[in-house]
Amino acid sequence: MSLLEVEGLVKRYPVRQGFLGRAREWFTAVDDVGFTAERGETLALVGESGAGKSTTGRLILRLVEPDAGTVRFDGVDVRALDQPALRTLRRRMQMIFQDPYSSLDPHLPVGESVAEPLHVHFGMSRGERLRRTAELLDVVGISHDVLERYPAELSGGQLQRAAIARALTMKPDLIVADEPVAALDVSVRAQVLNLMLDLQRELGLTYLFITHDLSLVEVIADRAIVMSGGRIVEQGRVEEIFENPREDYTRELLAAIPRPIPMSLRGPAPQPPAVPADVPEQPLARVEAGKD
Ligand SMILES: Nc1ncnc2c1ncn2[C@@H]1O[C@H](COP(=O)(O)OP(=O)(O)O)[C@@H](O)[C@H]1O
Ligand SMILES: [Mg+2]
């Protein structure tokens, strides 16, 4: 059984509220989207801005309600769950956003934001929380002194690492990462991608990696789904899509990638699991950012 099975998802938004609620027009943001994600794989969801990628991600976590379709997570129909059951299941599906500020409370020290789910969901004592939070900071490669600092005092890379640490507190199986490195500097981008790959290997995570940037897909994903105008236009193994794109739309996306592809990490290059990055933020050997 696949970890995630999505079938016939549809989401419409009203574009114009007619006078007294009449003559409504609807815009279909996600139109009959279906795919599966296997345990431990990275499935990329690619397409231009407005293609319906983020909406698809939110539909999977039921952060927005679909107009049609089903999402089965580990065999469970997500739509059939009541609120308590949904809350429990949602721990296993975490979302990471382009803007890591959105995952961290600006008014709380970062350590408290990271530790919060340990209290809320697992009822851990303060001592246990502190210990686990410190462990998680080690896992994502940021130093413990960020515990006391506020989000505004951290770099973009540190913030995204902290957001990842917070997501990991819930021991997720699936992480829906919506443009997780789009807002980061190129060198930091490589580090965060490497961290995600390391965590995947260590923890067996499944990623739905949402991006408009096909060059990242080749670096991180096993399979890709190409979306345009709310619909899936193509899906397959990344190598196949890159070597033999079937759709004009995919070809255009591919043509927009600067050649040679600025990052490459396919192939064996074992690394220690946690990336001891923090400062200084420099590209790692494995994902080499942006030369030439
Ligand atoms: N809450 C909303 N209300 C109205 N329209 C929306 C809403 N969310 C998304 N849309 C529209 O749906 C389309 C797909 O959006 P989105 O899923 O964010 O695309 P992507 O992530 O691929 O850029 C866009 O045209 C967007 O304007
Ligand atoms: Mg988006």
Side-chain angles (χ1 to χ4, degrees):
M1 183 175 50
S2 305
L3 180 66
L4 180 68
E5 295 172 341
V6 175
E7 234 178 82
L9 271 190
V10 175
K11 182 66 191 177
R12 294 187 197 92
Y13 288 111
V15 263
R16 204 173 59 207
Q17 181 82 56
F19 182 59
L20 298 176
R22 277 175 292 169
R24 248 190 182 193
E25 279 177 29
W26 296 86
F27 168 77
T28 306
V30 171
D31 191 0
D32 193 23
V33 162
F35 58 86
T36 59
E38 309 304 323
R39 272 162 228 281
E41 81 167 338
T42 299
L43 181 61
L45 199 53
V46 291
E48 88 287 355
S49 174
K53 309 180 297 293
S54 295
T55 306
T56 300
R58 293 191 153 92
L59 286 166
I60 289 168
L61 274 76
R62 226 178 117 187
L63 298 172
V64 295
E65 293 291 332
D67 292 300
T70 55
V71 174
R72 261 186 301 276
F73 180 77
D74 204 6
V76 175
D77 182 349
V78 175
R79 242 181 134 180
L81 299 174
D82 60 13
Q83 282 301 321
L86 181 62
R87 263 199 301 280
T88 305
L89 193 77
R90 259 205 204 122
R91 284 182 214 156
R92 299 175 57 196
M93 303 190 268
Q94 289 297 306
M95 194 148 179
I96 295 171
F97 300 94
Q98 170 169 344
D99 175 10
Y101 278 100
S102 55
S103 315
L104 303 168
D105 187 332
H107 307 295
L108 283 183
V110 170
E112 282 185 38
S113 278
V114 172
E116 187 211 42
L118 297 171
H119 179 56
V120 175
H121 293 290
F122 300 106
M124 280 190 187
S125 70
R126 190 176 149 72
E128 285 173 312
R129 290 205 298 277
L130 282 173
R131 192 180 47 75
R132 182 69 186 135
T133 303
E135 268 173 24
L136 283 166
L137 292 188
D138 291 341
V139 167
V140 300
I142 42 180
S143 62
H144 293 189
D145 49 278
V146 310
L147 284 170
E148 306 292 328
R149 288 196 254 154
Y150 289 83
E153 301 172 73
L154 269 60
S155 70
Q158 287 175 320
L159 281 172
Q160 199 56 293
R161 286 169 189 274
I164 291 170
R166 182 182 150 93
L168 291 179
T169 58
M170 280 166 276
K171 301 190 178 190
D173 298 297
L174 174 71
I175 291 186
V176 175
D178 192 353
E179 308 269 8
V181 299
L184 305 178
D185 291 346
V186 176
S187 60
V188 182
R189 213 175 265 189
Q191 292 180 353
V192 172
L193 289 177
N194 277 337
L195 170 65
M196 289 184 68
L197 288 168
D198 289 336
L199 292 173
Q200 180 170 52
R201 261 197 299 272
E202 249 185 299
L203 305 172
L205 297 169
T206 305
Y207 290 136
L208 183 64
F209 191 94
I210 297 175
T211 180
H212 67 280
D213 184 349
L214 260 182
S215 67
L216 298 183
V217 172
E218 191 170 49
V219 171
I220 199 158
D222 303 299
R223 287 189 303 130
I225 292 171
V226 183
M227 283 184 78
S228 174
R231 297 188 137 262
I232 294 180
V233 294
E234 176 158 7
Q235 59 178 309
R237 297 210 57 81
V238 168
E239 301 81 13
E240 283 164 26
I241 289 180
F242 272 70
E243 277 160 33
N244 189 20
R246 285 188 293 126
E247 298 297 322
D248 289 345
Y249 177 76
T250 313
R251 267 184 225 112
E252 280 166 32
L253 281 181
L254 282 169
I257 303 178
R259 292 283 172 179
I261 289 180
M263 293 183 190
S264 171
L265 92 171
R266 298 221 159 254
Q271 287 266 315
V275 184
D278 211 10
V279 259
E281 287 187 328
Q282 282 194 346
L284 298 174
R286 230 167 359 125
V287 176
E288 234 182 315
K291 277 189 226 137
D292 132 357

